[in-house]
Every structure is written in structure tokens, then in C-alpha cells.
Amino acid sequence: MQRSFIGESGRPFGTVAALLSLLLTVALIILGDLAHDLAGAADPFAAIARGTFVSAQAYWGLLLAGEIVRSVFAGALLLAMLTLAAPIGPSRPGRKLALVAGVAGVLCLAVASHFSIEAAALLGQGRVSPRGDLVAMLTLLGHAGVALWASLTVREARAAGSLPAWVQLAGLVFAGLAFASGFSRLFLEFAALAGIAWWGGVFLTLHRPADRRLR
């Protein structure tokens, strides 16, 4: 049954996690742009693949900072997934599947961030990490898990009427671009921008189920 969004109180804690995810997404965009301009790549493995290892070595601290923020972002994603599930919709198989996919994806991203932090530290010592293929595979799996979580969460939100149509659309766009960015980094910045719209929409429009009344 469709719900309205009247009421200023009753914000679930998940909206705080959504705001944190939004802020960390903005931080990742800024750090990524700085690293790309100064070091020639947004992460240490991209610097190795593009042959900009020598120039990137001078900015290994910037690359390390970006990977640390990425690791914290994975934690914020996990917090958002766990705290948004109940306010968005009732307990159904789709919600449980979304959580399983999302948690698995975040774990893959967290492990990939660990190896990327290690790679940035090795870069500062003039050494190359041998884990590039493993990180690429973990990143792909992580993006796929997050994309599946987002798409299933939108499905649950549509069934419960807990989010307006424009936020649902932003979630679907975010899911598609997040999945595509696992294969190609060309889509990564677009996925981040779509993520800002998704997290911002959740933060602005989601209320507790008890605070939403029938139209």
C-alpha cells in the first residue's frame, strides 16, 4: 500500500548512515581527482597499470589516504545496509537476499581496500604489489554485491512505498553504474555521482514506518 512522507520526526538511524556514506563518497571523489591530477592515477594499482609508477611514488601518501577513506567507506556501507533494511520495508525474502548480497559485496571491497593500502605503502618504498589481479577480482565482486543490494532494496522500497519514485530511480541508476564500474573505471565517477543522489534521497525522504501515514 502506498505511503506518504508527512512528518518531521521519526528519522531512522539508517538515514545517519546514509548521510555518512554520502559524505565519504564526496571525499572519495575529491581525493580521486587530486590523485589523478598529481599522481596520474586514482589508486596504486591503476598507477602500476598505466606505467606512472615513478611519478606516483612521490604522492604515495595521497594514494594511501584515498585507500584508507575507501576502507572507511566500506564500513559506512555495511552500517547503512544493516540499519536501512527495517525502515525501508518489512521482513521478506527479498530484504534478506539484499542483505546477504550487500554484506558479501562489502566484505570483498574491504579486503580489496586492505590490499590497496598495502600497495600504496609498498609504492612509497619503490616496490610493486603482486596482488593486482586479486584486487581487481575482489573489486568486481564487491561492486556486483553492492549493485544487487541497491536494486533489491529499491524493489523492497517500491513494494512498501517507503521511498518516492525519484529516489527509487536514483537507486536503480546507482546499481547499474556500480555494477558497470566493476568492469571499467570509466563508470566509477558516474557511479559516485549517482550514489550521492541515492544516499541524499534516502536521507531526505525516509521516515520510520510508524511516522508514515496512509494517503
Side-chain angles (χ1 to χ4, degrees):
M1 186 173 293
Q2 294 295 316
R3 304 277 186 175
S4 69
F5 307 94
I6 296 177
E8 297 298 325
S9 61
R11 294 279 185 175
F13 178 74
T15 57
V16 178
L19 179 60
L20 179 60
S21 298
L22 187 155
L23 294 175
L24 289 172
T25 300
V26 173
L28 284 173
I29 292 175
I30 294 172
L31 286 172
D33 287 343
L34 282 175
H36 188 273
D37 292 340
L38 297 175
D43 65 79
F45 289 107
I48 295 170
R50 294 177 181 178
T52 59
F53 177 85
V54 176
S55 60
Q57 186 177 357
Y59 298 98
W60 72 272
L62 178 60
L63 295 174
L64 178 63
E67 296 307 324
I68 291 174
V69 173
R70 203 182 309 276
S71 179
V72 176
F73 177 60
L77 276 179
L78 180 61
L79 181 63
M81 291 173 181
L82 295 176
T83 56
L84 287 174
I88 283 181
S91 180
R92 303 194 326 160
R95 192 180 92 178
K96 296 177 182 178
L97 179 59
L99 277 177
V100 170
V103 170
V106 166
L107 289 177
C108 289
L109 292 177
V111 175
S113 294
H114 168 75
F115 290 135
S116 295
I117 290 173
E118 178 187 65
L122 290 175
L123 184 65
Q125 300 173 359
R127 299 161 58 191
V128 176
S129 173
R131 305 186 191 274
D133 292 338
L134 176 60
V135 168
M137 182 186 70
L138 288 171
T139 301
L140 174 59
L141 293 175
H143 283 223
V146 171
L148 183 57
W149 168 80
S151 58
L152 290 174
T153 298
V154 168
R155 182 170 175 255
E156 295 302 304
R158 183 183 299 113
S162 56
L163 293 172
W166 72 268
V167 180
Q168 296 177 28
L169 178 60
L172 291 177
V173 173
F174 169 63
L177 290 172
F179 181 73
S181 63
F183 293 94
S184 173
R185 296 189 62 87
L186 295 175
F187 296 97
L188 193 57
E189 189 165 351
F190 297 107
L193 294 175
I196 290 174
W198 162 246
W199 296 120
V202 170
F203 173 74
L204 292 173
T205 62
L206 184 63
H207 295 274
R208 297 180 189 275
D211 198 51
R212 298 192 297 263
R213 68 175 178 82
L214 296 173
R215 288 183 178 180

